[in-house]
Amino acid sequence: MNTPVSGFSKLSKSQKIDWLLSRHLNESETAREVITRYWNQDVPLQELHDGFSENTITNYYLPYGLAPNFLIDGELVTIPMAIEESSVVAAASKAAKFWLNRGGFKTEVLGTLKSGQVHLNFEGLNSEMEAFFAFAKASLLQSLESINASMKKRGGGIQDLRLVDKTKDLKGYYQLHATFETNDAMGANFINTSLEQLAMTLRLKASEFKGFSTDRPEVVMSILSNYVPECRVKVSVSCSLDEIGEVNGVTGREFAEKFVRAVNIAGIEPLRAVTHNKGIMNGIDAVVIATGNDFRAVEAGVHAYAARDGKYRSLTNARIEEHNFVFEAEFPLALGTVGGLTSLHPLSKLAMQILGQPSAEKLMRVTAVAGLAQNFAALHSLVTTGIQAGHMKMHLVNMLEQIGANDEEKAQLKKDFEDKTPSFSGLKESLAQLRIAADQS
Ligand code: MEV
């Protein structure tokens, strides 16, 4: 067995690469070349990126695309999307175009509150804990004043502080449950700093409180929650069945009925709901990443919301109301447009410029639209042509690259496969035939 490396973080970037090559990559100079080819020649920019994380040796690029023509609450928006999966940006653009002349997307921010908890152990009487909270609450809130000062000026900061008794679920378990408004920041640092301050004040006040008959409460941990059902945005589209028009040879009504059925299936069948919601997250994550927000936090919160009644379900709903087709969703989205990576990464800053320097609420609206649009496009394909035809065509370019076709061969093979679903074996065979024909001519 290899010996563990010690002091790795202290090595320079090139020492880290040397170690990697000797330990894992058989001294491959090709591997070194791959690593260094992705370095940015702009040294300050590279240093900026190195500073985002730890032990960095190179950069990992994601394609950064644009989905134009989104009509959102009457305003035309171009959505920046960072995603590696082919077809996603094309699908978003297609959905934008479909709804452009059918009323566009309507959104409503239903709330912007986030929460965090100081998790506590206390084995004494519940009445003692309640008496202690009543004794300490004002001091707990007061201790946040300086941390909250600048948020408060803009209408934010801590909004509520409660004691929650969870002893029925876990012996001795209580929470200080704090609710925050973080304005245009995602607010993770602000919330965590506030919670750690609350924990410190709690310890201090517990040492002053005379009413404990046994031990004092013990702080287990203090951390924000990425479950944000009170920071939620609603998004919808609707139009008459006549306005849908004919879709792949079926009437607007037939299409809408099939579409609603597909959404209802994802409403009751978790096997389908997970894939259905994954498609929604294709859109949401792409905007979250392009704008420098935390996609893991958003993913965790959105999926928890999809299971809020104890069963994992579709995040979207669809119905036919008289002669209208209605398609909508509510997403919990904790997003920021200031602070963190949003203000540091040049491409996140660019995303904010493209979106017209949005508030966090506006970004919630745009991101929700990307999610609903993505689901619309996926279901549109699934209930009509299936997704493979379009998907594989988009893959064709990648596949041609992978089988080593040159520009001329690519152009010919694209033509040959215009009406066919491409496969690696089919493409390789056609490429071989092209080359034989070229040798013989
Ligand atoms: C693929 O990334 C996403 C879909 O599977 C979503 C869906 O099935 O609804 C097409």
Side-chain angles (χ1 to χ4, degrees), residues 85 88 272 275-276 278-280 282 375 378-379 382 387 391:
E85 184 175 331
V88 169
R272 172 59 199 148
T275 318
H276 177 99
K278 185 274 181 187
I280 293 171
N282 280 344
N375 193 222
L379 293 177
L382 284 168
I387 57 156
H391 213 74

Side-chain angles (χ1 to χ4, degrees), residues 353-394:
Q353 281 172 312
I354 294 169
L355 293 171
Q357 304 300 356
S359 62
E361 286 195 20
K362 167 97 183 274
L363 185 57
M364 285 167 73
R365 294 171 193 272
V366 170
T367 309
V369 166
L372 192 77
Q374 211 61 49
N375 193 222
F376 178 78
L379 293 177
H380 187 294
S381 296
L382 284 168
V383 302
T384 56
T385 56
I387 57 156
Q388 278 316 88
H391 213 74
M392 292 309 279
K393 287 225 172 80
M394 301 295 287

Side-chain angles (χ1 to χ4, degrees), residues 230-307:
E230 291 177 279
C231 185
R232 213 162 79 242
V233 56
K234 182 175 172 176
V235 54
S236 63
V237 284
S238 79
C239 69
S240 73
L241 297 175
D242 289 343
E243 276 177 289
I244 294 178
E246 196 187 290
V247 182
N248 288 78
V250 301
T251 65
R253 175 173 283 279
E254 283 168 324
F255 167 77
E257 280 170 354
K258 234 173 155 187
F259 190 102
V260 170
R261 189 77 180 151
V263 176
N264 288 344
I265 288 170
I268 58 103
E269 170 53 83
L271 289 173
R272 172 59 199 148
V274 172
T275 318
H276 177 99
N277 290 346
K278 185 274 181 187
I280 293 171
M281 298 315 288
N282 280 344
I284 290 184
D285 281 340
V287 184
V288 172
I289 295 172
T291 55
N293 276 280
D294 182 345
F295 65 94
R296 287 84 55 210
V298 169
E299 282 273 347
V302 168
H303 291 297
Y305 188 71

Side-chain angles (χ1 to χ4, degrees), residues 82 115 201 214 241 339:
S115 79
T201 311
T214 56
L241 297 175

Side-chain angles (χ1 to χ4, degrees), residues 12 37 55 88 93 132 147 149 154 225 252 259 287-288 335 377 418:
S12 68
R37 191 153 23 119
N55 293 344
V88 169
S93 308
F132 167 64
I147 300 167
R154 286 169 283 138
S225 172
F259 190 102
V287 184
V288 172
L335 301 175
E418 214 162 38

Side-chain angles (χ1 to χ4, degrees), residues 106-110 232-236 328-331 368:
K106 306 276 186 317
T107 68
E108 186 187 350
V109 173
L110 302 172
R232 213 162 79 242
V233 56
K234 182 175 172 176
V235 54
S236 63
E328 61 191 14
E330 287 180 17
F331 301 116

